[in-house]
């Protein structure tokens, strides 16, 4: 099977020749991985590990004053949110410190905001970007469209947005509508420009904490779900595979996501309440595929490579029972992780193929 065939089969919960894989890293870890493997580029490093699912991004060509990546660079991003650099000994991060609609008082204020243009992206670059991933195999390609919960609170401010859910629902709807429309239309342009080379469309937004959801499920269903549904169902109806990312304890709404047309749930934060493989697979494994579940918080930080190897095999034995599992760390691998522990994940997959 090709990587593309492998990932599509996993999204459809069909058996594959080996368990498909995925990997997301901070820039610091990408550089360390390249050096450790003795290769020149990220693509070559991922090829050395035979990573099946590859993430691609559309280049920004809009105004310089709105050119900072969302939470990925200092300055103002295309939404107008202001990001400030934060760093520790392992990684550099960018926190949102300016929310452009924090003081909006009405739907009219939202409508009158300087919303970004869909023309601020180099869609024509997509075929060239994607083809770089095909040096050794036809990889499965995912484009992350965006999300209708997290981005709105970036723009409004988290505390104010959560208050708005109860006191100013019209403002919530106005912001979510603008954001969802933009992300959906941008993804449609990316798909058209990519000439059939995109296989999975992602959306997302963290809905859960360690013990429970951040918002009442019924409030989420009323005000957020309709927008998130458009970011899933639009692409499901185009016969693309759909992917949703949410950290935390989100079991109260997993059935909703299945009904919305979701194929793949990410990242399976195993330390959150109700999110262990043993709990998720019996409830949802016949209707949903999983991506992640190799714990980035504790396992990759404080375990030996042998323990990582054994846990990877154990998780595969649960979530991969019907083929519906893509092996991946639960989030971007952070700079405090050893290369030996990262490589142990993929050695476990390779050895399982041979056994």
């Amino acid at each position: 099977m090709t990587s593309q065939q492998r990932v599509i089969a996993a999204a459809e919960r069909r058996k594959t020749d080996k368990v498909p894989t995925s990997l997301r890293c901070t820039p610091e870890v990408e550089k360390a991985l390249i050096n450790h493997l003795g290769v020149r580029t990220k693509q070559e490093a991922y090829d050395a590990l035979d990573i099946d699912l590859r993430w691609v991004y559309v280049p920004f060509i809009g105004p310089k004053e709105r050119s900072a990546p969302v939470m990925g660079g200092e300055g103002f991003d295309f939404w107008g949110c202001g990001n400030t650099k934060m760093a520790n000994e392992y990684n550099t991060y960018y926190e949102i410190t300016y929310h452009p609609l924090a003081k909006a008082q009405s739907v009219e204020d939202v409508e009158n905001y300087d919303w970004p243009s869909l023309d601020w992206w180099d869609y024509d670059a997509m075929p060239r970007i994607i083809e770089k991933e095909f040096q050794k195999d036809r990889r499965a390609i995912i484009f992350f469209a965006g999300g209708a919960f997290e981005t709105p609170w970036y723009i409004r401010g988290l505390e104010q947005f959560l208050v708005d859910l109860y006191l100013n629902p019209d403002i919530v709807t106005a912001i979510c509508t603008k954001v969802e429309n933009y992300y959906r239309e941008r993804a449609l342009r990316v798909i058209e420009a990519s000439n059939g080379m995109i296989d999975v469309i992602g959306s997302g937004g963290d809905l859960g904490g360690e013990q429970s959801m951040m918002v009442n499920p019924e409030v989420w269903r009323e005000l957020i779900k309709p927008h998130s549904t458009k970011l899933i169902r639009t692409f499901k109806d185009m016969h693309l595979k759909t992917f949703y990312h949410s950290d935390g304890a989100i079991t109260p709404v997993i059935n909703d996501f299945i009904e919305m047309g979701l194929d793949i749930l990410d990242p399976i934060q195993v330390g959150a309440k109700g999110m262990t493989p043993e709990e998720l697979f019996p409830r949802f494994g016949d209707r949903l595929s999983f991506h992640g579940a190799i714990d980035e918080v504790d396992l990759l930080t404080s375990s030996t490579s042998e323990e990582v190897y054994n846990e990877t095999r154990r998780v595969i034995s649960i979530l991969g029972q019907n083929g519906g599992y893509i092996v991946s760390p639960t989030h971007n691998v952070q700079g405090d992780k050893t290369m030996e522990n990262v490589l142990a994940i993929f050695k476990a997959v390779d050895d399982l193929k041979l056994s």
Side-chain angles (χ1 to χ4, degrees):
M1 301 180 81
T2 66
S3 286
Q4 180 199 35
Q5 292 168 338
R6 207 170 283 132
V7 169
I8 289 174
E12 296 174 352
R13 293 170 297 285
R14 294 187 282 110
K15 294 292 186 179
T16 57
D17 59 335
K18 73 163 192 168
V19 183
T21 57
S22 177
L23 179 63
R24 296 160 292 185
C25 302
T26 64
E28 292 85 354
V29 173
E30 285 180 5
K31 182 178 179 180
L33 189 62
I34 288 167
N35 291 337
H36 186 87
L37 295 173
V39 296
R40 297 171 298 169
T41 66
K42 173 185 172 181
Q43 283 84 6
E44 289 180 1
Y46 281 35
D47 281 343
L49 297 177
D50 201 23
I51 303 300
D52 294 296
L53 183 62
R54 304 297 177 92
W55 300 67
V56 296
Y57 306 91
V58 60
F60 183 79
I61 54 172
K64 185 176 180 179
E65 63 271 18
R66 298 271 286 265
S67 63
V70 175
M71 298 186 74
E74 198 153 35
F76 292 93
D77 64 28
F78 67 94
W79 292 112
C81 299
N83 303 316
T84 300
K85 181 179 178 179
M86 308 286 181
N88 59 32
E89 60 182 303
Y90 301 111
N91 290 105
T92 298
Y93 303 93
Y94 299 89
E95 299 290 341
I96 300 173
T97 51
Y98 174 75
H99 310 279
L101 285 178
K103 296 183 180 180
Q105 298 295 313
S106 66
V107 170
E108 184 179 11
D109 290 341
V110 174
E111 294 293 334
N112 290 335
Y113 178 62
D114 183 20
W115 293 99
S117 168
L118 284 163
D119 295 330
W120 290 358
W121 306 93
D122 187 4
Y123 304 103
D124 292 339
M126 293 309 299
R128 182 177 70 253
I129 290 169
I130 294 170
E131 286 167 359
K132 288 181 180 180
E133 306 293 343
F134 293 170
Q135 298 305 306
K136 291 189 70 175
D137 196 1
R138 172 49 166 101
R139 303 298 183 180
I141 301 298
I142 179 171
F143 175 75
F144 193 83
F149 173 72
E150 212 163 73
T151 297
W153 76 248
Y154 294 170
I155 295 169
R156 181 69 162 151
L158 179 58
E159 183 176 349
Q160 183 60 60
F161 188 78
L162 294 178
V163 170
D164 289 340
L165 290 170
Y166 295 91
L167 299 185
N168 303 301
D170 289 348
I171 289 178
V172 169
T173 296
I175 296 175
C176 289
T177 297
K178 287 285 188 180
V179 168
E180 184 278 321
N181 283 343
Y182 188 93
Y183 278 146
R184 179 164 41 85
E185 291 299 324
R186 184 181 67 166
L188 288 170
R189 292 195 188 190
V190 167
I191 292 165
E192 182 179 9
S194 299
N195 300 322
M197 292 189 288
I198 289 178
D199 306 292
V200 184
I201 294 293
S203 57
D206 294 341
L207 299 172
E210 293 285 334
Q211 296 298 316
S212 65
M213 289 185 57
M214 291 172 59
V215 296
N216 182 293
E218 290 304 319
V219 173
W220 174 83
R221 290 184 180 106
E222 179 184 357
L223 293 175
I224 306 299
K225 180 180 176 180
H227 307 284
S228 295
T229 298
K230 288 184 181 179
L231 279 173
I232 293 174
R233 180 54 63 180
T234 297
F235 306 106
K236 178 77 168 182
D237 290 345
M238 295 172 67
H239 306 293
L240 294 162
K241 300 307 176 188
T242 58
F243 174 109
Y244 189 92
H245 166 88
S246 174
D247 291 349
I250 62 165
T251 54
V253 296
I254 291 178
N255 277 323
D256 293 83
F257 278 109
I258 294 170
E259 173 260 320
M260 291 155 63
L262 185 64
D263 294 309
I264 305 165
L265 180 65
D266 169 78
I268 318 304
Q269 186 181 337
V270 296
K273 185 177 180 180
M275 298 298 292
T276 65
E278 294 88 343
E279 292 169 296
L280 289 179
F281 187 83
R283 295 182 63 185
F284 309 109
D286 61 334
R287 296 169 292 142
L288 185 67
S289 298
F290 304 98
H291 175 285
I294 307 302
D295 179 38
E296 205 280 335
V297 176
D298 295 314
L299 177 71
L300 293 183
T301 302
S302 57
S303 300
T304 66
S305 59
E306 181 179 6
E307 289 169 332
V308 172
Y309 178 99
N310 290 336
E311 176 63 6
T312 301
R313 294 286 292 265
R314 189 189 73 83
V315 172
I316 291 171
S317 73
I318 301 169
L319 293 182
Q321 290 178 62
N322 62 358
Y325 177 46
I326 301 168
V327 171
S328 173
T330 51
H331 216 295
N332 291 343
V333 178
Q334 307 292 302
D336 59 343
K337 309 303 185 287
T338 67
M339 289 299 100
E340 289 75 16
N341 277 6
V342 175
L343 297 181
I345 299 169
F346 304 105
K347 178 172 172 47
V349 174
D350 287 341
D351 288 353
L352 189 63
K353 178 183 66 172
L354 298 174
S355 60

